[in-house]
Amino acid sequence: MNLNNDEDILASLNRLFEKLHQAGGNNQGSTINLTLVAPGAQYVNHIDTQIFGADKSQKPKPASSSTTEPPQLPEPLATDEAMVLWRKAQKAGLVDENFQPKISRTKAAMMAHVMATKLGIRNKWKVFETFWHRQNMYQDYYDAVNQQQSFEVEDSLKSIFG
């Protein structure tokens, strides 16, 4: 199957869900959760839940911040000291409630560098690339360093993180 754009992908998923609903009949049922992660981009969020083959009166609970599990932070980013930095980053609007960046790739790379330096993380790019579902953050950082505003951004980040 050739999927060339988002509409093709969504149409294919809808056809799959329809077939799964039609194939239902047992009472145990199954659930499919879709999560969108764009290549080279940040984690987006849970986008849909489908239940098939079960009692249709059992509807999934809507996702809300009070019922969803907190994101699994990698060990170096889950320390008490790191949590202080995450709270500061959230307050400054740099990351969302799942600790995913709300800023450009270059600024996020600079933030990762500043946080890793403060936390003493040696393999910072691997840690942040895995957690943020990104690639080439090393290059993003060096692109940022070569931009005119990089010193202002880094100074701003250092003042946020104290």
Side-chain angles (χ1 to χ4, degrees), residues 6 36-44 105 132-135:
D6 292 343
L36 177 63
V37 178
Q42 68 185 19
Y43 166 85
V44 176
R105 289 185 60 92
W132 285 344
H133 307 287
R134 293 192 174 184
Q135 296 175 352

Side-chain angles (χ1 to χ4, degrees), residues 12 61 68 89 92 95 99 117 133:
S12 295
K61 294 179 184 176
T68 57
V95 296
F99 311 112
T117 301
H133 307 287

Side-chain angles (χ1 to χ4, degrees), residues 8-130:
D8 291 342
I9 293 168
L10 290 174
S12 295
L13 285 171
N14 282 330
R15 284 192 299 275
L16 172 65
F17 289 145
E18 183 64 33
K19 287 180 183 180
L20 290 172
H21 280 289
Q22 291 170 358
N26 63 24
N27 287 332
Q28 292 183 1
S30 297
T31 302
I32 296 175
N33 291 310
L34 298 178
T35 302
L36 177 63
V37 178
Q42 68 185 19
Y43 166 85
V44 176
N45 208 344
H46 171 78
I47 56 174
D48 194 17
T49 299
Q50 293 283 328
I51 297 178
F52 61 94
D55 179 4
K56 303 298 190 254
S57 66
Q58 296 176 351
K59 301 212 184 234
K61 294 179 184 176
S64 70
S65 58
S66 61
T67 61
T68 57
E69 292 182 30
Q72 286 292 93
L73 286 164
E75 188 176 323
L77 299 177
T79 65
D80 291 340
E81 185 180 4
M83 293 311 294
V84 169
L85 297 180
W86 285 122
R87 282 191 289 280
K88 289 179 179 181
Q90 285 176 328
K91 185 176 180 181
L94 303 175
V95 296
D96 65 15
E97 66 278 356
N98 295 314
F99 311 112
Q100 298 297 311
K102 295 168 61 175
I103 53 181
S104 71
R105 289 185 60 92
T106 54
K107 288 180 182 177
M110 292 187 77
M111 183 177 82
H113 172 75
V114 171
M115 286 182 70
T117 301
K118 289 196 73 66
L119 298 171
I121 299 172
R122 290 181 138 186
N123 54 350
K124 62 185 164 205
W125 303 126
K126 182 177 181 180
V127 171
F128 280 95
E129 284 176 350
T130 301

